[in-house]
Amino acid sequence: MDFKLVLEKLLTAFDEHNIRYALTGGFAMGLWGGSRSTVDLDFLVNKDDMKAVHNIMIDMSYERYNHTKNVSQYISPMKIFGGIDFIHAFRKVSLEMLQRAKAKDIFGGKLKIKTLLPEDIIGLKLQSIFNNPSREKIDIADIEVLVSLYRDLLNMELVKEYFKIFGMENLYKQIFEGGEQ
């Protein structure tokens, strides 16, 4: 995937259509200092904007291969454009994540992209583990990287609430207090 080419086109279209979005996933991890290779892009998008996002994706020659109440996933037949996943924000918690998103420079300042805060990336990583336990190892590793980089800057009330929402208080103790899982 040519991230620069895809993001130039996508972010321009997002701006033109006033799409409420924030980057998450592996690319967002990289923007916050956590090095992790990724082969796709992941966004949290206000569900009310998904019709416009769908039209943008179709205009860019992507095909939607999965669509549920919670997620839409697209792939391009051209390898250079790769895959893009959209998590639909419609619950209070995810809409608040979008409101907190921070614009960050990418590609040497040539572009700006709204990116979820580390706390909110942690929240979505926990949701990922809850929904798909086979992702536990990689998602916990990502959480631990963010904690190691931002421990003293994280909104711990929010982080604790995310662990509580998914019934992962023992994992919280393991990561933050060195307890057993």
Side-chain angles (χ1 to χ4, degrees):
M1 173 179 231
D2 184 335
F3 289 104
K4 187 171 189 261
L5 175 66
V6 171
L7 285 169
E8 284 173 343
K9 291 179 175 294
L10 197 58
L11 296 177
T12 298
F14 281 3
D15 286 344
E16 288 172 0
H17 292 88
N18 298 311
I19 303 299
R20 294 162 289 180
Y21 77 91
L23 181 70
T24 190
F27 201 88
M29 286 288 300
L31 291 179
W32 287 108
S35 63
R36 179 157 81 71
S37 63
T38 186
V39 296
D40 68 355
L41 290 168
D42 303 285
F43 291 94
L44 180 66
V45 174
N46 188 301
K47 188 173 185 170
D48 293 342
D49 296 338
M50 280 308 302
K51 184 175 181 183
V53 168
H54 178 72
N55 291 334
I56 290 166
M57 298 304 291
I58 297 303
D59 288 347
M60 290 176 61
S61 298
Y62 283 85
E63 298 167 0
R64 185 168 66 189
Y65 69 91
N66 184 31
H67 175 70
T68 69
K69 175 175 102 169
N70 297 305
V71 68
S72 294
Q73 297 174 294
Y74 293 82
I75 190 89
S76 173
M78 296 175 282
K79 192 173 181 179
I80 193 168
F81 288 112
I84 304 176
D85 298 339
F86 297 96
I87 301 167
H88 306 162
F90 58 93
R91 293 179 182 94
K92 182 178 185 272
V93 172
S94 57
L95 293 170
E96 289 171 350
M97 288 178 176
L98 285 177
Q99 290 175 345
R100 286 189 293 269
K102 179 180 178 184
K104 294 188 73 76
D105 289 333
I106 55 174
F107 307 118
K110 292 185 185 342
L111 289 174
K112 281 196 179 297
I113 189 166
K114 294 176 193 162
T115 306
L116 288 183
L117 297 179
E119 295 92 326
D120 296 324
I121 294 171
I122 289 170
L124 288 181
K125 293 289 179 182
L126 293 170
Q127 182 178 13
S128 174
I129 294 167
F130 182 83
N131 291 337
N132 184 359
S134 70
R135 291 196 43 92
E136 183 175 11
K137 188 173 182 178
I138 192 165
D139 287 330
I140 288 175
D142 286 346
I143 291 168
E144 289 174 335
V145 166
L146 290 171
V147 169
S148 72
L149 292 169
Y150 296 99
R151 179 182 289 271
D152 296 333
L153 301 173
L154 293 173
N155 175 340
M156 290 309 295
E157 298 279 325
L158 184 57
V159 171
K160 283 181 186 177
E161 183 61 26
Y162 288 145
F163 279 86
K164 185 178 177 186
I165 287 170
F166 296 107
M168 297 182 188
E169 293 90 341
N170 288 339
L171 179 58
Y172 176 88
K173 288 178 184 173
Q174 175 191 346
I175 292 172
F176 289 94
E177 300 168 7
E180 294 292 317
Q181 184 175 357

